[in-house]
Amino acid sequence: MINLQQAFQKVSDAGEFLQFSKIEKPLHRRRDIAAFLLLDKLVPDGDTDIVEGASHDVVWLSINVEKLAEVATEADILYLYRCGIRLGEDTLEMFT
């Protein structure tokens, strides 16, 4: 099980936010869709939408972060962070 807070802090400290061009083989050419595809692969939940809500410049995602912590690797977190995904207080967020 990975500590999501530490993993996101590590990639933040390394300056990897929105470094989508560094991903060698993204799952899609658009960073938001690439992130959604990886999240669906890691925490499949076909009964709900990935987008839970949105505001002016942030989209909240309906991904169970506890389940994500059980299966994600540091490489997965780096990938997501490069796509623009951040860890909020109790949810994942994507800034637009």
Side-chain angles (χ1 to χ4, degrees):
M1 181 176 214
I2 193 170
N3 182 312
L4 290 179
Q5 195 169 34
Q6 289 177 356
F8 274 97
Q9 187 62 52
K10 180 179 177 180
V11 294
S12 174
D13 291 346
E16 294 291 342
F17 191 62
L18 293 176
Q19 297 296 315
F20 186 69
S21 63
K22 290 184 175 182
I23 298 174
E24 290 185 26
K25 293 182 181 179
L27 297 172
H28 196 275
R29 61 185 171 82
R30 295 183 181 192
R31 67 178 177 88
D32 56 346
I33 296 174
F36 291 173
L37 288 171
L38 179 60
L39 287 168
D40 186 62
K41 178 182 172 186
L42 294 173
V43 187
D45 187 359
D47 295 336
T48 63
D49 294 331
I50 286 180
V51 175
E52 185 173 293
S55 184
H56 173 67
D57 59 354
V58 65
V59 175
W60 293 280
L61 307 179
S62 63
I63 298 297
N64 183 317
V65 292
E66 292 172 0
K67 288 182 181 179
L68 179 63
E70 292 174 3
V71 297
T73 65
E74 287 189 6
D76 294 328
I77 301 306
L78 175 60
Y79 182 101
L80 293 170
Y81 200 68
R82 286 177 171 172
C83 290
I85 303 293
R86 292 184 179 179
L87 181 64
E89 287 187 31
D90 58 354
T91 188
L92 294 179
E93 306 170 339
M94 175 177 266
F95 286 84
T96 59

